Amino acid sequence: MFRQHPRAMSDILNGFLRANGLEMPLKQHRLVNAWDEVVGSVVARYTEEKSIRNQTLWVKISSPAVRAEVQMQRTRFVEELNNKVGGQVITDIRVY
């Protein structure tokens, strides 16, 4: 009736998400939401749109100066965003 080895709720939830193909969409959603925190308030202010396609984060930035800054730091942002969500979600950032 009772299990001898109880499992943590997080393990059960992660298993459910993985089994139903929801783990990656959830991580992608978390990554997009983490953008403002990772890049800072100045870049976030000029960010208009964010989406993920084919492991690439596409970001629309309205200021040419901020766009250039993001281009120069994109490898650092990729690493920090992936670390924030706990997995390899994106491999590149494209700014337009």
Side-chain angles (χ1 to χ4, degrees):
M1 182 173 215
F2 291 103
R3 293 187 81 151
Q4 295 295 329
H5 304 286
R7 292 172 47 196
M9 184 59 100
S10 62
D11 294 340
I12 295 169
L13 269 173
N14 287 336
F16 174 80
L17 292 172
R18 191 172 300 117
N20 291 297
L22 299 172
E23 183 178 32
M24 190 54 72
L26 180 61
K27 283 185 177 182
Q28 289 175 343
H29 179 73
R30 287 179 179 163
L31 186 134
V32 169
N33 287 340
W35 171 261
D36 292 353
E37 182 182 339
V38 169
V39 299
S41 61
V42 174
V43 175
R45 188 176 323 130
Y46 292 101
T47 302
E48 295 179 354
E49 297 175 16
K50 302 167 282 207
S51 64
I52 297 176
R53 282 179 269 142
N54 299 329
Q55 292 187 317
T56 301
L57 177 63
W58 292 83
V59 183
K60 183 175 182 180
I61 297 181
S62 59
S63 167
V66 174
R67 192 179 311 131
E69 182 68 27
V70 171
Q71 280 288 74
M72 288 188 293
Q73 296 188 35
R74 72 180 196 217
T75 54
R76 182 176 68 88
F77 290 152
V78 166
E79 184 179 320
E80 287 184 27
L81 286 164
N82 283 327
N83 288 339
K84 188 83 172 161
V85 297
Q88 180 74 24
V89 178
I90 60 171
T91 57
D92 196 12
I93 296 176
R94 300 290 176 155
V95 182
Y96 62 100

